[in-house]
Amino acid sequence: MCLFQYDDDPEPEEPDPAGLLYVPVRPGTHAVAARVFRTPLGGRTAVGFTTVDRLIATLGAEQPWTRVSEPVLRALAEPLGVELLTVDPTLTARAVTGPRASAGSPRTGSDARDVGHGTRTF
């Protein structure tokens, strides 16, 4: 955030539009949904990457993605109350894992599917 406002440049720290971005998505039954992440301070942000290699380096090769322009990503995030867009984030936390099952009680059913599918934050 810029501390100073200039009449000739209303957002001096915001670069030109990023163009087409590689956007992490969650697959659904009939469509995909753009993933929303958290900033280090807890705010919600849409995320896009300028190259697929950067997306893979940050989120892993198994992360599904789609390509959309910056204005489209902002339009998708706006109804969710997400105003921030982060391009090419590099820091992530480790995936959240569930509590370990004891040796005598293996996980089954939905519990087994939920382990290790936590949200990464930025």
Side-chain angles (χ1 to χ4, degrees):
M1 180 170 105
C2 184
L3 298 176
F4 305 101
Q5 292 292 329
Y6 303 95
D7 291 333
D8 60 337
D9 193 3
E11 297 181 77
E13 290 186 2
E14 192 161 309
D16 293 332
L20 283 179
L21 297 170
Y22 295 87
V23 177
V25 296
R26 288 182 297 114
T29 306
H30 301 291
V32 295
R35 289 184 60 189
V36 175
F37 295 84
R38 295 256 178 211
T39 67
L41 297 177
R44 295 180 347 150
T45 182
V47 171
F49 294 86
T50 55
T51 68
V52 72
D53 290 335
R54 289 182 179 182
L55 181 142
I56 290 171
T58 304
L59 300 175
E62 60 281 339
Q63 172 62 57
W65 54 268
T66 190
R67 289 194 77 187
V68 298
S69 67
E70 178 188 342
V72 169
L73 181 54
R74 288 184 185 277
L76 290 170
E78 186 205 5
L80 303 173
V82 178
E83 296 177 359
L84 184 61
L85 170 61
T86 304
V87 176
D88 290 330
T90 56
L91 300 175
T92 61
R94 289 181 290 148
V96 176
T97 58
R100 292 186 180 261
S102 66
S105 61
R107 292 186 174 267
T108 59
S110 64
D111 288 342
R113 288 188 298 272
D114 292 340
V115 175
H117 295 283
T119 303
R120 294 182 178 109
T121 58
F122 293 86

